[in-house]
Amino acid sequence: METIEFTPTVEQYGWTFGGTAPIRRVRPGTVLKLWTDDAFSGKLRGTADRASRLLDARYTNPQTGPFYVEGAEPGDTLALHFVSIEAARDWGVSTTMPLFGGLTGTTRTATLQEPLPELTWLYEIDSGKRTVTFAAVESEHRLVLPLDPMLGTVGVAPERGEVRSTAVPDTYGGNMDTPEMRAGATCYLGVNVAGALFSIGDGHARQGEGESCGTAVETAMNVTMIVELIKGGAPAWPRIEDDEYLMVVGSGRPLDDAWRVAQVELIGWLGGLLGMGKMDTYQLVTQISRSPIANMVDPNFSAVVKVAKEFLPDVPAYDGMHRHLRGLAAGL
Amino acid sequence: METIEFTPTVEQYGWTFGGTAPIRRVRPGTVLKLWTDDAFSGKLRGTADRASRLLDARYTNPQTGPFYVEGAEPGDTLALHFVSIEAARDWGVSTTMPLFGGLTGTTRTATLQEPLPELTWLYEIDSGKRTVTFAAVESEHRLVLPLDPMLGTVGVAPERGEVRSTAVPDTYGGNMDTPEMRAGATCYLGVNVAGALFSIGDGHARQGEGESCGTAVETAMNVTMIVELIKGGAPAWPRIEDDEYLMVVGSGRPLDDAWRVAQVELIGWLGGLLGMGKMDTYQLVTQISRSPIANMVDPNFSAVVKVAKEFLPDVPAYDGMHRHLRGLAAGL
Amino acid sequence: METIEFTPTVEQYGWTFGGTAPIRRVRPGTVLKLWTDDAFSGKLRGTADRASRLLDARYTNPQTGPFYVEGAEPGDTLALHFVSIEAARDWGVSTTMPLFGGLTGTTRTATLQEPLPELTWLYEIDSGKRTVTFAAVESEHRLVLPLDPMLGTVGVAPERGEVRSTAVPDTYGGNMDTPEMRAGATCYLGVNVAGALFSIGDGHARQGEGESCGTAVETAMNVTMIVELIKGGAPAWPRIEDDEYLMVVGSGRPLDDAWRVAQVELIGWLGGLLGMGKMDTYQLVTQISRSPIANMVDPNFSAVVKVAKEFLPDVPAYDGMHRHLRGLAAGL
Amino acid sequence: METIEFTPTVEQYGWTFGGTAPIRRVRPGTVLKLWTDDAFSGKLRGTADRASRLLDARYTNPQTGPFYVEGAEPGDTLALHFVSIEAARDWGVSTTMPLFGGLTGTTRTATLQEPLPELTWLYEIDSGKRTVTFAAVESEHRLVLPLDPMLGTVGVAPERGEVRSTAVPDTYGGNMDTPEMRAGATCYLGVNVAGALFSIGDGHARQGEGESCGTAVETAMNVTMIVELIKGGAPAWPRIEDDEYLMVVGSGRPLDDAWRVAQVELIGWLGGLLGMGKMDTYQLVTQISRSPIANMVDPNFSAVVKVAKEFLPDVPAYDGMHRHLRGLAAGL
């Protein structure tokens, strides 16, 4: 298999979905070995560092990409399989930022209260022991947590000629911030423009569901992935498949709407796979879907809905694309 | 241990939280063996049955209770431990009802569209094999699903003299519809009135997270539970503890607010247990909380947030009440 | 016309809709001359007074009532015409309360920020000059504003046996907090229980749309009103008619839903009056409705939608009930 | 005064805010005489016409612009004064589109119900008599309504390099759809990029508050406006001033957030003008602000909050810019 390795320079970082020229062209079937910087471009390195001083708000959450996928046309389905996502540093960082996060008034849910304090936490990452260690900044508490690396941001160029900040999740993917985007998962995205123009970034050593304070354990990542293309069949919302689950990630405000679009998309997907009508699928999904919140902090909130494949007859999605990619990955 | 068995007559069914005289007085430490009817009072028994014809909207979701707990005063904490929750029938039922459910306009999220069709699904429950079988009504599909019995509704009398329909979840518990309310769990509720006046009901043979269409696999239940009382310490929102997780159930609209109140309550709870400050706990919860949606269909929506106890040092909640109750349950 | 005068003692104040025995029985056609205390029961009288110290949260927003209307049955329509609403004091008061209001995190839209300061403002009311004077508490600013007296709370007993705090607006009316509830207006409410059991209260010397900080210029009121009963025809949501507008008040969360239910109710009402189909009425309302927000601070938010009667052919609502009541009022 | 007349060709129509090269450069103080096509590019001309057949969803709501304002830099404030907005046709058109509008499930508030029917209404516009005539399509009803011409869309290029569809309203203005944007009003917008790059369009012969069905009485417009530039002082959200009111237009989802940002922006603006503290201004705005909803149908909803200048001491905003522009306009 063709393999491309790529580490962007700071000048090559992508700050938007859409609106950027492709950095490489890749053929379907290509293996990519990419490096992604953390959401702060590596500028927060100690508990005394503050985003408000060190970062330009216009330049957060740098992406690696975009990549032009040969043959991808509007209406097609891009399949991105993550073979491995591994921390490229032995530390990660998280921070509260004024008027950003799930449990504070924000620039969108505006209040007159004083902002929460801006604080920074540094985490030790031990990729060998598979741990990430939390250290409190106001006391001496330390807690050793399991490492669970993932990508917060995976997306393509939006439709209707829009260009969106890498802070935003929407129909085109983007900053969905779901822990389901881990190694072993395949992400399906609808193609809106020729070449799809996908990017990835925003690695998290681990993240709770909801990403309450607004930032996870942010770190640089080494990502190995396989790019595939399915002609036609573009989903309305990002889908994820792993060995256990079929998933949809909806984004919107309020969270109700993120959940609704994900449910409707899942019902359409599952009904098609099972050859079952809308109302019966609605009923089935009612009893079997799981609904973990992804993020409650970005300009759109994101909700995952998922169904266990073990509950379903063997009706492989996309003609078994995920199984095929798992096989390829095993051979790398 | 003192044991009380109770099966209500139809005349004894409770239709509200608050506003009803207690049906029994129980001492803390009592074991209760209760029977609860399903949310339709057992009136939907076949796929041709329709709630709109057979049910009076004022009388849905009957509760068993309320029970007056001796010594319970406003500000206290009621602990309800579920020893076993087992289907009392070999069938369950689910239904769509016009303008009710998560993926339709409702009486609250009003639209001008035609309502979805009213349909009824019958499920076979096999308590021996631990299965519940879905049968489509518009085609021949059948799927065997794992049995996972739970109670949709657990609550006490509300504060401020309010009386709420058993359809509603709020600070006092009520119709939270979370699958976390299963055997092995302890539910902590703040006491608002003398005697607490708790009721339970709305058994589900299983339920997806969100309860998309508005009704789970509704069935009658035999419930064995232990009632305990903790003086003081009333939580603002219902808490659940099982062997693995500390959880809070928030309810509100939009779902954003249900999640927010649950997060803030969890941060307060966890910060107290760990002796850690607000901002550090906010950070920790950001990286470890899980956030499964409970229901998106009731007059208030409900969200669960939970943290795995394995990630935390051994700081038992409520001085080990859950462990104590598990021990008592094991001895029954 | 039969006239009843009534001023409640503090012991007779009503704190809920539903759940309270009627204080008087009135026949349709009766004139009521009532006194209502302010939302703080008159306990805040100076800028140094604080609700958190002087008030019991369980006892806020006292109502005058409930009144049992002879012959009122579930499904009927109660018509309450306000002949005059006049300040019964020469001062009014407004206050911020921690975690209450539209521009702060609340107990429902929970954040981790510090609450806003608790402050109290005293207003001079000059009923002769029709002015109400604002005086800043942090500086010397004074502004003379027009007096525009209204009732924040008008409601009947809820359906389904519920009892709701007088803080809440919903289908039964309640704490809608709209400035449209002024003298000259007729409020139509659906009857849920025998006798309707209506109450009024929460006088405001004036109020902005949204009631941003949570409290208007709260004052005691002398209210003259006429009670009428229309058999059948219960609206789903409160309606208001004055000489210029037909209005509906929807309540819910988020505000989107308050607006949606009000629009759907208005379309049904107007379509019936005009004999016009649903889609045509939807189109017409799109071009002529006005949508002032009522409150963004109560447990449910409220939105008014209204259409000017001058745009419509002469199709009197409720067979000209409002005109009839205006005539009676003119003769008092 | 320098005057520029400009009517775009179809090829010059703008479909986004940002991402488009300027069509003209204008100096501050310039008078612009512009023609704007309707939101359907004039393609819907009869009641049998359907947007779903005649329009490409990527090309709706064409704008006239963008214009590069000499000297405008990020952080500056653009002042756009509308001297006259007059219908350029004697007809207007409105339509329902499947899954678009305020009283239907949409692509964002997804439901499983069937969409509402797609219908088109044609209105007669009589600019002499100042009327616009509604004609029902399912019956013979006709209603003559007052003409009240306005622009649905006024905006500049967004910040952070984003490019947004002309369907969207946000901090940069855009598709706010408020009837307050009529002749005699001055709109203040923060500048995000060199030259500001403003566009206008989406003329409505009249519109209700909320724009319930999703489209107003859409028509082409002749617009005379004056462009001015204020160095610095960029507002966070669009502001509008006319002879009677100071206004802010907030946009977001849910509508709660649109209202919140507008209120916070208004409090900051007013507090600055009056030299009054945050809490006092919060209190004052509580009693005097009016809050008409603008739109409940676009990707973001919009809310207007406004205060009557007659209630305030004479503290002219932007050093009297509006009065200055009114004077210039009177001299044209």
Side-chain angles (χ1 to χ4, degrees):
Chain A
M1 297 167 72
E2 185 176 8
T3 299
I4 295 176
E5 300 200 18
F6 179 71
T7 294
T9 63
V10 171
E11 292 69 32
Q12 289 174 317
Y13 286 3
W15 306 107
T16 52
F17 286 93
T20 312
I23 204 134
R24 287 285 186 283
R25 295 174 80 94
V26 299
R27 266 189 288 267
T30 300
V31 177
L32 289 176
K33 300 197 171 192
L34 306 177
W35 181 89
T36 65
D37 205 345
D38 72 38
F40 310 116
S41 306
K43 290 181 183 169
L44 296 191
R45 295 178 164 263
T47 56
D49 291 343
R50 294 290 173 266
S52 60
R53 267 181 264 138
L54 296 170
L55 296 180
D56 182 330
R58 292 168 299 174
Y59 302 105
T60 56
N61 202 16
Q63 301 298 300
T64 299
F67 295 91
Y68 186 105
V69 181
E70 306 276 1
E73 297 169 304
D76 289 346
T77 305
L78 186 69
L80 301 176
H81 180 69
F82 296 99
V83 179
S84 76
I85 301 172
E86 286 295 321
R89 296 189 183 122
D90 61 1
W91 58 273
V93 64
S94 188
T95 182
T96 48
M97 287 181 280
L99 306 186
F100 181 67
L103 301 179
T104 173
T106 67
T107 55
R108 298 284 165 171
T109 304
T111 73
L112 294 171
Q113 292 160 280
E114 291 303 306
L116 289 171
E118 186 174 8
L119 293 172
T120 301
W121 290 263
L122 218 60
Y123 287 78
E124 297 169 18
I125 296 172
D126 188 325
S127 291
K129 292 186 180 160
R130 311 306 290 168
T131 60
V132 51
T133 301
F134 164 78
V137 296
E138 302 176 316
S139 59
E140 300 300 310
H141 293 80
R142 291 174 64 88
L143 282 141
V144 180
L145 308 171
L147 189 64
D148 187 11
M150 50 158 280
L151 291 177
T153 310
V154 175
V156 294
E159 59 182 341
R160 297 191 67 168
E162 287 207 320
V163 174
R164 304 305 310 272
S165 150
T166 54
V168 181
D170 210 313
T171 51
Y172 59 85
N175 195 25
M176 297 176 283
D177 283 321
T178 167
E180 308 291 359
M181 200 71 81
R182 55 171 70 88
T186 304
C187 178
Y188 303 102
L189 294 163
V191 175
N192 299 304
V193 303
L197 296 180
F198 79 86
S199 305
I200 66 166
D202 194 22
H204 298 164
R206 72 168 288 117
Q207 180 204 310
E209 292 167 356
E211 205 187 10
S212 316
C213 87
T215 58
V217 183
E218 312 287 335
T219 194
M221 290 286 175
N222 291 310
V223 178
T224 301
M225 61 191 293
I226 308 174
V227 179
E228 262 300 352
L229 182 68
I230 299 159
K231 292 306 287 182
W237 289 93
R239 298 174 177 182
I240 303 175
E241 182 177 0
D242 65 15
D243 292 353
E244 293 181 72
Y245 288 98
L246 299 179
M247 307 180 233
V248 177
V249 191
S251 296
R253 280 201 174 192
L255 187 60
D256 312 17
D257 278 1
W259 178 86
R260 284 188 184 110
V261 294
Q263 284 270 327
V264 167
E265 178 82 8
L266 181 68
I267 287 169
W269 189 11
L270 207 55
L273 287 173
L274 296 173
M276 201 159 74
K278 180 176 74 173
M279 292 302 293
D280 276 323
T281 311
Y282 186 25
Q283 170 60 215
L284 177 64
V285 162
T286 297
Q287 312 310 346
I288 66 173
S289 68
R290 304 193 70 167
S291 299
I293 294 170
N295 92 74
M296 266 294 298
V297 296
D298 295 322
N300 286 319
F301 305 145
S302 300
V304 171
V305 295
K306 60 186 192 177
V307 290
K309 298 199 279 192
E310 65 172 322
F311 294 169
L312 306 174
D314 187 34
V315 279
Y318 295 108
D319 295 322
M321 173 60 79
H322 174 73
R323 203 176 296 168
H324 167 69
L325 289 165
R326 286 291 270 168
L328 290 181
L332 290 182
Chain B
M1 297 167 72
E2 186 175 9
T3 300
I4 294 176
E5 300 200 18
F6 179 71
T7 294
T9 63
V10 171
E11 291 70 32
Q12 290 174 318
Y13 285 3
W15 307 107
T16 53
F17 286 93
T20 311
I23 205 135
R24 287 283 187 284
R25 293 175 81 93
V26 300
R27 267 190 286 268
T30 301
V31 177
L32 289 177
K33 298 198 171 192
L34 306 178
W35 181 89
T36 65
D37 204 346
D38 71 38
F40 310 117
S41 305
K43 289 181 183 170
L44 296 191
R45 294 177 165 264
T47 55
D49 292 343
R50 294 288 174 266
S52 60
R53 268 181 262 138
L54 295 171
L55 296 179
D56 182 331
R58 292 168 299 173
Y59 302 106
T60 57
N61 202 15
Q63 300 299 299
T64 297
F67 295 91
Y68 185 105
V69 181
E70 306 277 0
E73 296 169 304
D76 289 345
T77 305
L78 187 68
L80 301 176
H81 180 70
F82 297 98
V83 180
S84 75
I85 300 172
E86 285 295 320
R89 297 189 184 122
D90 61 0
W91 58 274
V93 64
S94 188
T95 181
T96 48
M97 286 181 281
L99 306 186
F100 181 67
L103 300 179
T104 172
T106 68
T107 55
R108 297 285 163 168
T109 305
T111 72
L112 294 171
Q113 292 160 281
E114 291 303 306
L116 289 170
E118 187 174 6
L119 293 172
T120 301
W121 291 262
L122 218 61
Y123 288 78
E124 296 169 19
I125 296 173
D126 188 325
S127 290
K129 291 186 180 161
R130 310 307 289 169
T131 58
V132 51
T133 301
F134 163 78
V137 296
E138 300 177 316
S139 59
E140 300 300 310
H141 293 80
R142 291 173 65 85
L143 282 142
V144 180
L145 307 171
L147 189 64
D148 187 11
M150 51 157 279
L151 290 176
T153 311
V154 175
V156 294
E159 61 181 340
R160 297 191 67 168
E162 287 207 320
V163 173
R164 304 304 311 272
S165 152
T166 54
V168 181
D170 210 315
T171 51
Y172 59 85
N175 195 26
M176 298 176 282
D177 283 322
T178 167
E180 308 291 357
M181 200 72 81
R182 56 170 70 88
T186 303
C187 179
Y188 303 102
L189 294 163
V191 175
N192 298 306
V193 302
L197 296 180
F198 78 86
S199 306
I200 65 165
D202 195 23
H204 298 164
R206 73 168 288 116
Q207 180 204 310
E209 291 167 356
E211 204 187 8
S212 317
C213 87
T215 58
V217 183
E218 312 287 334
T219 194
M221 289 287 176
N222 291 310
V223 177
T224 301
M225 62 192 292
I226 307 174
V227 179
E228 262 301 352
L229 182 67
I230 299 159
K231 292 307 288 182
W237 290 93
R239 298 174 176 181
I240 302 175
E241 182 178 0
D242 65 15
D243 292 354
E244 293 180 73
Y245 288 99
L246 299 179
M247 307 181 233
V248 177
V249 190
S251 296
R253 279 201 175 194
L255 187 60
D256 311 16
D257 278 1
W259 178 86
R260 285 187 183 111
V261 294
Q263 284 270 328
V264 167
E265 178 82 9
L266 181 69
I267 287 169
W269 188 11
L270 207 56
L273 288 174
L274 295 173
M276 201 158 75
K278 180 176 73 173
M279 292 303 292
D280 276 323
T281 311
Y282 184 25
Q283 171 60 215
L284 178 63
V285 163
T286 297
Q287 313 310 347
I288 67 173
S289 68
R290 304 192 68 167
S291 299
I293 294 170
N295 92 74
M296 266 294 299
V297 296
D298 295 322
N300 286 320
F301 305 145
S302 300
V304 171
V305 296
K306 59 186 192 177
V307 290
K309 297 199 281 193
E310 66 172 320
F311 293 168
L312 306 174
D314 186 34
V315 280
Y318 295 108
D319 294 321
M321 174 59 79
H322 173 73
R323 204 177 295 168
H324 167 69
L325 290 165
R326 286 290 271 168
L328 291 180
L332 290 182
Chain C
M1 295 168 73
E2 185 174 11
T3 300
I4 294 176
E5 298 200 21
F6 179 70
T7 294
T9 64
V10 171
E11 292 68 33
Q12 289 174 318
Y13 285 2
W15 306 107
T16 53
F17 286 93
T20 312
I23 205 135
R24 286 289 185 281
R25 294 174 80 93
V26 299
R27 267 190 287 268
T30 300
V31 176
L32 289 176
K33 298 196 172 194
L34 307 178
W35 181 89
T36 65
D37 205 345
D38 72 35
F40 309 118
S41 306
K43 290 182 183 169
L44 296 190
R45 294 177 165 263
T47 56
D49 291 343
R50 294 288 174 267
S52 61
R53 268 181 262 137
L54 295 171
L55 296 179
D56 182 331
R58 290 168 299 173
Y59 302 106
T60 57
N61 202 15
Q63 300 299 300
T64 298
F67 295 90
Y68 185 105
V69 181
E70 306 278 359
E73 296 169 304
D76 289 346
T77 304
L78 187 67
L80 301 176
H81 179 68
F82 297 99
V83 180
S84 75
I85 300 173
E86 285 295 320
R89 294 188 184 123
D90 61 0
W91 57 272
V93 64
S94 188
T95 180
T96 48
M97 287 181 280
L99 306 186
F100 180 67
L103 300 179
T104 170
T106 67
T107 55
R108 298 284 163 169
T109 304
T111 73
L112 294 171
Q113 291 160 282
E114 291 303 307
L116 289 171
E118 187 175 6
L119 293 173
T120 300
W121 290 262
L122 217 61
Y123 288 77
E124 297 168 19
I125 296 173
D126 188 325
S127 290
K129 292 187 181 158
R130 312 307 288 170
T131 59
V132 52
T133 301
F134 164 78
V137 297
E138 301 176 317
S139 58
E140 299 302 309
H141 294 79
R142 292 174 65 87
L143 282 143
V144 180
L145 308 171
L147 189 65
D148 186 11
M150 49 157 282
L151 291 177
T153 311
V154 175
V156 294
E159 62 182 339
R160 295 191 70 166
E162 286 207 321
V163 174
R164 304 304 309 275
S165 152
T166 53
V168 182
D170 210 315
T171 52
Y172 59 86
N175 195 27
M176 297 176 282
D177 283 323
T178 167
E180 309 290 359
M181 200 72 82
R182 56 170 70 90
T186 304
C187 178
Y188 303 102
L189 293 163
V191 175
N192 298 305
V193 303
L197 295 179
F198 78 86
S199 307
I200 65 165
D202 195 22
H204 299 163
R206 73 168 288 117
Q207 180 204 308
E209 292 166 356
E211 205 187 10
S212 316
C213 87
T215 57
V217 183
E218 312 286 336
T219 194
M221 289 286 176
N222 291 310
V223 178
T224 301
M225 61 191 292
I226 307 174
V227 179
E228 262 301 350
L229 182 67
I230 298 159
K231 293 305 288 182
W237 290 92
R239 298 173 177 182
I240 303 176
E241 182 178 359
D242 64 16
D243 292 353
E244 292 182 72
Y245 288 99
L246 298 179
M247 308 181 231
V248 178
V249 191
S251 295
R253 280 204 174 191
L255 186 60
D256 312 15
D257 278 1
W259 178 87
R260 284 185 184 112
V261 294
Q263 283 270 328
V264 168
E265 178 81 9
L266 180 69
I267 287 169
W269 189 12
L270 207 55
L273 288 173
L274 296 174
M276 200 160 75
K278 181 175 72 174
M279 293 301 292
D280 275 323
T281 311
Y282 184 25
Q283 171 59 215
L284 177 63
V285 163
T286 297
Q287 312 311 348
I288 66 173
S289 68
R290 304 191 69 167
S291 300
I293 294 171
N295 92 74
M296 265 295 298
V297 296
D298 295 320
N300 286 320
F301 305 145
S302 300
V304 171
V305 296
K306 60 185 191 180
V307 289
K309 296 199 280 191
E310 65 171 322
F311 294 169
L312 306 175
D314 186 35
V315 280
Y318 295 109
D319 294 322
M321 173 61 80
H322 173 71
R323 204 175 298 169
H324 167 69
L325 289 166
R326 286 289 271 169
L328 290 181
L332 289 182
Chain D
M1 296 168 74
E2 186 175 10
T3 300
I4 295 177
E5 299 199 22
F6 179 70
T7 294
T9 63
V10 172
E11 292 68 34
Q12 289 174 318
Y13 285 3
W15 307 107
T16 53
F17 285 93
T20 312
I23 205 135
R24 287 286 184 283
R25 295 174 80 93
V26 299
R27 267 189 288 268
T30 301
V31 177
L32 289 176
K33 299 196 173 195
L34 307 178
W35 180 90
T36 65
D37 205 346
D38 72 36
F40 310 117
S41 306
K43 291 183 181 169
L44 297 191
R45 295 178 163 262
T47 56
D49 291 343
R50 295 288 173 267
S52 60
R53 267 181 263 137
L54 295 171
L55 297 179
D56 182 331
R58 291 169 299 173
Y59 301 106
T60 56
N61 202 15
Q63 300 300 299
T64 298
F67 295 90
Y68 185 104
V69 180
E70 305 279 359
E73 296 169 305
D76 289 346
T77 304
L78 187 67
L80 301 176
H81 179 69
F82 296 99
V83 180
S84 76
I85 301 174
E86 285 295 319
R89 294 187 185 125
D90 60 1
W91 58 272
V93 64
S94 188
T95 181
T96 48
M97 287 181 281
L99 305 186
F100 180 67
L103 300 179
T104 171
T106 67
T107 55
R108 297 284 163 169
T109 304
T111 72
L112 294 171
Q113 292 160 281
E114 291 303 307
L116 289 171
E118 187 175 6
L119 292 172
T120 300
W121 289 263
L122 218 61
Y123 288 77
E124 296 169 20
I125 296 173
D126 188 325
S127 290
K129 293 186 181 160
R130 310 308 288 170
T131 59
V132 51
T133 301
F134 164 77
V137 297
E138 301 176 316
S139 58
E140 299 301 310
H141 292 79
R142 291 173 66 86
L143 282 141
V144 180
L145 308 171
L147 189 64
D148 187 11
M150 48 158 281
L151 290 177
T153 310
V154 175
V156 294
E159 61 183 340
R160 297 190 70 166
E162 287 206 322
V163 174
R164 304 305 309 273
S165 152
T166 54
V168 181
D170 209 315
T171 52
Y172 59 85
N175 195 26
M176 299 176 282
D177 283 322
T178 167
E180 309 290 358
M181 200 72 82
R182 56 170 70 89
T186 304
C187 178
Y188 304 102
L189 294 163
V191 174
N192 298 305
V193 302
L197 295 179
F198 78 87
S199 306
I200 64 164
D202 195 21
H204 298 164
R206 71 169 288 118
Q207 180 204 308
E209 292 167 355
E211 205 187 10
S212 317
C213 88
T215 57
V217 183
E218 312 287 335
T219 194
M221 290 287 176
N222 291 311
V223 178
T224 301
M225 61 191 292
I226 308 174
V227 179
E228 261 302 350
L229 181 68
I230 298 159
K231 291 307 288 182
W237 290 92
R239 299 174 176 182
I240 302 176
E241 182 178 0
D242 64 17
D243 292 353
E244 292 181 73
Y245 288 100
L246 298 179
M247 309 181 231
V248 177
V249 191
S251 296
R253 281 204 174 190
L255 187 60
D256 312 16
D257 279 1
W259 178 86
R260 284 187 184 110
V261 294
Q263 283 270 328
V264 168
E265 178 81 8
L266 180 69
I267 287 169
W269 189 12
L270 206 55
L273 288 174
L274 296 173
M276 199 160 74
K278 180 175 73 174
M279 293 302 292
D280 276 322
T281 312
Y282 185 24
Q283 171 59 214
L284 178 64
V285 163
T286 297
Q287 312 312 347
I288 66 173
S289 68
R290 305 192 69 167
S291 300
I293 295 170
N295 92 75
M296 266 294 299
V297 297
D298 294 321
N300 286 320
F301 305 145
S302 300
V304 171
V305 295
K306 59 184 192 180
V307 289
K309 296 198 281 191
E310 65 171 323
F311 295 169
L312 306 174
D314 186 35
V315 280
Y318 295 108
D319 294 321
M321 174 60 80
H322 173 72
R323 205 176 297 169
H324 167 69
L325 289 165
R326 286 290 271 167
L328 291 181
L332 289 182

